[in-house]
Amino acid sequence: MAASMVSTTATAAVSRATAAQASMVAPFTGLKSTSAFPATRKSADITTIASNGGRVSCMKVWPTVNNKKYETLSYLPPLTREQLIKEVDYLLRNKLIPCIEFELEYNSSPGYYDGRYWTMWKLPMFGCTDAVQVVNELDEAIKAYPEGFIRIIGFNNLKQVQDISFIAYKPAGY
């Protein structure tokens, strides 16, 4: 009996203290120790290389004005036919299903995001085992849409996702 009285009394005291403490919020006073973060400012110039205080320095972001970049490998020069065959062969060795998509730069509507929607050239190439077949389809897509961007993607049929995507063709001027 005495044990049950103590536990109810203690519980009531805790619930009263918690209700009072819940309404009180301590103001934020900032970091307590400034010695861990020394404030050394060498220059107010934002064009200098930024540093996080360690051995790693931040890299400059790629300039985006008049320099569109799309997807993986888009920073490289255009891939040769042999390089494309090697990329597609890698895709096939990893049991991915190749598909070719294209995008035309019809983005006259306001707020349109480039690269959001790509159109499939044909159905995905289920059962394809030869990289040359994929590159031949790429050549047909280039003939049909020489002013568009064309990419090769690899679908993973087990995970039901797109695993690989890279630009295979860019129109002149890009």
Side-chain angles (χ1 to χ4, degrees):
M1 177 92 169
S4 65
M5 285 179 54
V6 170
S7 63
T8 21
T9 310
T11 308
V14 168
S15 63
R16 267 184 273 141
T18 325
Q21 288 174 351
S23 63
M24 296 178 5
V25 178
F28 178 72
T29 58
L31 298 173
K32 302 295 183 198
S33 172
T34 59
S35 64
F37 303 105
T40 56
R41 188 169 217 147
K42 296 178 182 173
S43 173
D45 184 16
I46 61 170
T47 60
T48 59
I49 297 176
S51 175
N52 65 357
R55 286 188 242 158
V56 179
S57 295
C58 296
M59 294 175 61
K60 186 176 179 182
V61 177
W62 192 266
T64 57
V65 178
N66 295 327
N67 195 12
K68 286 189 177 183
K69 297 296 174 194
Y70 292 87
E71 311 258 348
T72 308
L73 306 180
S74 67
Y75 58 90
L76 294 175
L79 298 174
T80 64
R81 187 172 181 85
E82 291 79 27
Q83 290 170 329
L84 283 170
I85 289 173
K86 285 182 182 180
E87 289 293 328
V88 173
D89 190 44
Y90 172 81
L91 187 139
L92 293 171
R93 276 195 322 260
N94 286 300
K95 296 182 172 54
L96 299 175
I97 299 167
C99 183
I100 296 174
E101 293 182 334
F102 65 95
E103 178 199 32
L104 303 174
E105 285 284 311
Y106 298 134
N107 53 5
S108 58
S109 62
Y112 183 79
Y113 168 70
D114 290 335
R116 182 183 304 166
Y117 302 110
W118 290 68
T119 306
M120 263 193 223
W121 164 243
K122 293 182 179 177
L123 291 176
M125 301 175 76
F126 299 103
C128 179
T129 57
D130 187 16
V132 176
Q133 291 175 336
V134 178
V135 175
N136 288 340
E137 283 294 324
L138 174 67
D139 291 339
E140 287 184 33
I142 291 169
K143 286 178 191 171
Y145 299 103
E147 72 283 354
F149 290 84
I150 301 174
R151 69 180 178 181
I152 297 174
I153 59 175
F155 287 114
N156 185 327
N157 65 337
L158 299 176
K159 292 191 267 182
Q160 299 289 312
V161 295
Q162 173 184 322
D163 274 356
I164 294 177
S165 173
F166 62 92
I167 296 292
Y169 173 78
K170 293 183 266 187
Y174 284 94

